[in-house]
């Protein structure tokens, strides 16, 4: 897995705590080195130093095969 920086984020100045949260999130995205499926079907991105991001489908969200599910090529 390779996320090529720069990761684009907002340019709007939010509260410092929110800006720090966004910075930490994008730092983790760029540092991710592996992908796997979690126990409940979540997408889990991991870094070499053990940090993880876990993405779960929102309740009622579209699933593969549904017409509203995004298709990427």
């Amino acid at each position: 897995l390779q996320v090529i920086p720069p990761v684009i984020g907002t340019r709007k100045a939010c509260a410092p705590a929110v800006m720090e949260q966004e910075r930490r999130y994008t730092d983790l995205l760029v540092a991710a080195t592996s992908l796997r499926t979690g126990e409940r079907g979540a997408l889990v991105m991991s870094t070499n130093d053990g940090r993880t991001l876990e993405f779960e489908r929102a309740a009622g969200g579209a699933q593969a095969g549904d017409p509203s599910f995004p298709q990427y090529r």
Side-chain angles (χ1 to χ4, degrees), residues 10 18 22 28-29 43 51 55 68 71 73:
T10 62
V18 175
E22 181 180 49
L28 277 171
L29 282 177
L43 172 67
R51 295 176 293 161
F55 300 91
S68 62
Q71 301 295 315
R73 297 176 200 266

Side-chain angles (χ1 to χ4, degrees), residues 5 27 42 45 53 58 64:
D27 286 351
M45 298 175 76
L53 288 169

Side-chain angles (χ1 to χ4, degrees), residues 21-46:
Q21 180 181 21
E22 181 180 49
R23 185 197 61 77
R24 290 185 2 230
Y25 175 76
T26 56
D27 286 351
L28 277 171
L29 282 177
V30 172
T33 55
S34 67
L35 291 171
R36 66 179 173 83
T37 304
E39 293 176 14
R40 297 180 313 272
L43 172 67
V44 180
M45 298 175 76
S46 300

Side-chain angles (χ1 to χ4, degrees), residues 57-70:
R57 183 174 57 89
Q63 296 183 28
D66 291 345
S68 62
F69 191 77

